[in-house]
Amino acid sequence: MVKLRDIAHSRTGDKGNISNISVIAFDARDYPLLRAQVTAARVKAHFEGIVFGEVVRYELPNIAALNFVLDQALGGGVTRSLALDAHGKSLSSALLDLEIELPPDHDRGSA
Amino acid sequence: MRSIRIGSGAGYSGDRIEPAVELAEKGDIQYLVFECLGERTVALAQRARLKNPDDGFDPLLEARMRAVLPACAANGIRIVTNMGAANPWAAARKTAQIAASLGLPRLKIAAVTGDDVLEACRNRDLPLIEIDGTLKTLGNRVVSANAYLGAEPMAAALRAGADIVITGRASDPALFLAPMVEAFGWPMDDWDRLGRGTVAGHLLECAGQVTGGYFADPGFKDVAGLSRLGFPIGEVGEDGGLVITKVAGSGGEVSARSCKEQLLYEVHDPARYMQPDVVADFSRVTVEEIGPDRVRVSGGRGQPRPDTLKISVGYVDGYIGEGQMSYAGPGAEARARLALEIVRERLKLTKVEVGEWRFDLIGIDALHGARRSQGGAPYEVRLRVAGRTETLAEAVRIGDEVETLYTNGPAGGGGAFKSARDIVAVASVLLARELVAPQVRFVEA
């Protein structure tokens, strides 16, 4: 078991009350692992209490990346949120805390 | 094949100034773009303009122009920026004064106006996108409505010989697309080229975010030289081919991984990145490191532009009052929790009307809630109370009540902070593009 942070990097963006979080494999060979384990349902569950809307996942195999779009995620919108991190910029770090199960033959180190 | 080099001199209104000077002096660029207009900045600037008709543009316009104009004029670099905010014409006149005072009176300066569509919006009950409701539900709280303009009027200003183009609300990638359209004569229905140009603009628009800023994670993603981060340069070919690079010797990195992160920044469906000039498709983009701090980005495409333009609507949304106080040492968390309860009770006792609350313990649950706390007693904790109110007086009461913890609260509270501010929030609507009429106007020498 490793953290998502060991095999992928991530960046958060914001538009209105919608957050998007990319998850990008350091090594493209780990992209299938991301696809299999970092599902929209799992991301939605991970952000319970923060994200109140739908979570949609987009796949970008050419850059070994996933893009998650999280609706109703920013306290009503960046410009009116009461939150300390109104943009939700720190959400990417929370996602990198996800646990990932490596297959037995996985021989690549982390970043 | 012809190509141009475009530098990105700012990624937001308060961004560092010297990296743009470095680009102008050493970047071998022909265009320098400053993206300085956040979502709600136009609304705030609109209020400044109402108080003073010569104001309402970016507060750092003068500092940035004074810093870069000498090198830009010496090297023939043309500037495109949205620092006009709510008053591009006043910003253009101000820039002409600055140029004259620097001994550069020959610069041709153009303002792009017409993004202000408040009147057109007043008579239409348009549905809000991203949040529930319609424009009517915001009623008389609306203070501004500005269309995200495309590249055409800026490109027209460049074609007419402008050295400096100052716009208000425009799509951020369009600030970069405009020099490409002008330099290469791209037709405005060559969707694939416009799509590739949008990939370039999108990668460049946040300046340091593609060169190693907003990226470092020690031990996982180490980046050298962040205190003198270099800002990016896009080398764009007439077919829309793109290489991202930066000035040699500057800090940061341009790598496949830094470009991938920025490619998806603030993107929803990567196959449908909505722009005023094109619906760009990032879904088949590839990145390739071709040299030190040089990344080739290929595979962008485009589809026909939408019939509507996105309009950013600023509206008054009450007040936010806030107070903070720190506790440390053994029992810090318990004293901070007691303090929160005292403030909660006090605001109820003194009948402060609050529509929505936050009671945070910074260091424990302020960012992502209590569920993620990693356990162990924190050495220091900072409480934070924030609330939304209808009146400024009530917003002020929140911070005042936190401050009274000094002499009335638990032991050892220190470092009180308080603030109360009025909120201009932003919503979006879509407006038929024929209702928006951009204009270009030059400052007479």
Side-chain angles (χ1 to χ4, degrees):
Chain A
M1 205 75 99
V2 297
K3 294 284 190 187
L4 180 56
R5 183 187 186 210
D6 291 304
I7 62 166
H9 55 115
S10 177
R11 173 168 292 189
T12 312
D14 62 273
K15 275 205 196 309
N17 198 16
I18 300 170
S19 176
N20 86 286
I21 311 181
S22 60
V23 175
I24 306 161
F26 283 116
D27 186 324
R29 289 172 294 176
D30 286 333
Y31 177 65
L33 267 183
L34 299 184
R35 271 193 73 214
Q37 295 187 40
V38 191
T39 60
R42 204 172 161 208
V43 170
K44 166 102 179 155
H46 189 66
F47 286 118
E48 186 194 346
I50 297 176
V51 174
F52 297 98
E54 196 186 4
V55 173
V56 176
R57 182 176 90 167
Y58 296 97
E59 300 179 7
L60 295 105
N62 283 344
I63 57 168
L66 303 173
N67 187 40
F68 293 91
V69 179
L70 291 59
D71 199 16
Q72 299 177 55
L74 297 175
V78 176
T79 52
R80 66 188 305 272
S81 169
L82 291 181
L84 183 60
D85 174 15
H87 297 84
K89 297 218 179 238
S90 63
L91 292 174
S92 57
S93 305
L95 190 56
L96 290 179
D97 200 33
L98 269 189
E99 293 197 320
I100 299 293
E101 203 165 334
L102 295 183
D105 60 344
H106 191 277
D107 57 356
R108 293 181 290 283
S110 64
Chain B
M1 188 175 63
R2 282 188 63 216
S3 69
I4 55 175
R5 282 166 63 98
I6 307 173
S8 176
Y12 80 102
S13 63
D15 213 342
R16 294 177 185 170
I17 289 181
E18 332 80 81
V21 179
E22 182 178 60
L23 283 173
E25 289 175 346
K26 301 179 192 164
D28 187 24
I29 54 174
Q30 293 83 50
Y31 300 90
L32 181 57
V33 174
F34 294 92
E35 194 293 287
C36 295
L37 201 51
E39 256 193 322
R40 71 172 144 187
T41 322
V42 167
L44 300 174
Q46 187 64 39
R47 297 210 296 189
R49 183 182 182 168
L50 289 176
K51 283 184 195 147
N52 175 358
D54 292 324
D55 200 354
F57 53 85
D58 188 283
L60 283 180
L61 174 96
E62 178 157 12
R64 289 195 196 282
M65 290 295 182
R66 281 198 183 280
V68 300
L69 282 187
C72 285
N75 296 325
I77 299 165
R78 302 160 83 188
I79 292 172
V80 179
T81 181
N82 54 14
M83 279 191 278
N87 202 346
W89 179 238
R93 280 178 294 147
K94 179 72 185 174
T95 303
Q97 287 170 16
I98 295 164
S101 77
L102 292 168
L104 305 166
R106 290 177 189 281
L107 292 179
K108 288 187 73 178
I109 302 167
V112 174
T113 56
D115 60 305
D116 184 341
V117 289
L118 188 56
E119 284 314 308
C121 285
R122 279 204 196 285
N123 307 319
R124 291 178 171 79
D125 193 22
L126 301 163
L128 305 175
I129 55 175
E130 294 156 358
I131 56 173
D132 292 334
T134 68
L135 212 44
K136 278 228 167 72
T137 58
L138 299 178
N140 59 9
R141 295 187 293 152
V142 172
V143 293
S144 66
N146 294 79
Y148 281 86
L149 301 180
E152 270 184 299
M154 294 181 274
L158 290 169
R159 271 196 296 272
D163 297 297
I164 303 173
V165 180
I166 300 179
T167 184
R169 184 84 280 166
S171 133
D172 296 348
L175 300 170
F176 296 85
L177 197 53
M180 301 174 212
V181 168
E182 182 251 347
F184 303 132
W186 287 349
M188 294 309 289
D189 60 357
D190 187 336
W191 310 118
D192 278 336
R193 277 196 173 84
L194 294 173
R196 286 196 279 280
T198 297
V199 171
H202 174 72
L203 286 170
L204 294 166
E205 67 171 86
C206 294
Q209 279 196 188
V210 75
T211 54
Y214 190 45
F215 182 81
D217 191 359
F220 290 77
K221 294 185 291 174
D222 290 294
V223 182
L226 286 176
S227 63
R228 51 181 313 275
L229 184 66
F231 281 2
I233 298 164
E235 289 178 9
V236 186
E238 61 184 341
D239 64 348
L242 170 68
V243 173
I244 301 283
T245 186
K246 67 186 181 72
V247 173
S250 62
E253 70 171 49
V254 177
S255 57
R257 58 185 193 170
S258 77
C259 290
K260 288 178 189 176
E261 277 199 21
Q262 189 56 21
L263 183 71
L264 294 178
Y265 179 70
E266 292 185 342
V267 169
H268 293 170
D269 181 352
R272 296 188 59 77
Y273 187 66
M274 305 295 282
Q275 288 292 300
D277 298 310
V278 63
V279 178
D281 178 357
F282 297 177
S283 66
R284 277 170 281 188
V285 166
T286 58
V287 299
E288 179 193 2
E289 293 178 1
I290 57 171
D293 292 316
R294 287 181 65 80
V295 172
R296 174 174 290 133
V297 181
S298 319
R301 294 160 177 248
Q303 290 182 14
R305 67 186 194 184
D307 295 331
T308 52
L309 292 177
K310 182 172 160 178
I311 312 296
S312 184
V313 177
Y315 65 99
V316 176
D317 193 23
Y319 298 82
I320 291 180
E322 183 180 342
Q324 297 183 13
M325 183 77 93
S326 281
Y327 296 86
E333 182 177 343
R335 279 176 285 130
R337 287 192 189 281
L338 173 60
L340 280 186
E341 282 317 306
I342 294 168
V343 174
R344 196 194 295 266
E345 187 70 13
R346 283 289 305 164
L347 290 167
K348 202 195 291 177
L349 282 173
T350 56
K351 299 193 168 49
V352 177
E353 293 280 339
V354 176
E356 187 188 344
W357 280 116
R358 290 280 302 214
F359 292 95
D360 297 327
L361 293 178
I362 297 173
I364 295 176
D365 62 10
L367 290 175
H368 303 144
R371 210 159 66 82
R372 284 163 193 78
S373 197
Q374 296 185 334
Y379 179 77
E380 60 185 36
V381 180
R382 187 162 178 83
L383 78 80
R384 172 178 181 271
V385 179
R388 195 186 312 285
T389 63
E390 286 295 317
T391 67
L392 179 61
E394 284 171 306
V396 166
R397 284 280 303 121
I398 294 170
D400 284 350
E401 204 52 68
V402 170
E403 188 187 61
T404 70
L405 290 167
Y406 266 142
T407 54
N408 300 276
F417 159 88
K418 59 181 180 180
S419 78
R421 54 204 166 90
D422 63 332
I423 299 303
V424 175
V426 167
S428 304
V429 298
L430 299 174
L431 186 67
R433 66 167 63 237
E434 44 296 356
L435 295 170
V436 183
Q439 286 146 12
V440 176
R441 183 175 171 196
F442 280 83
V443 181
E444 299 300 325

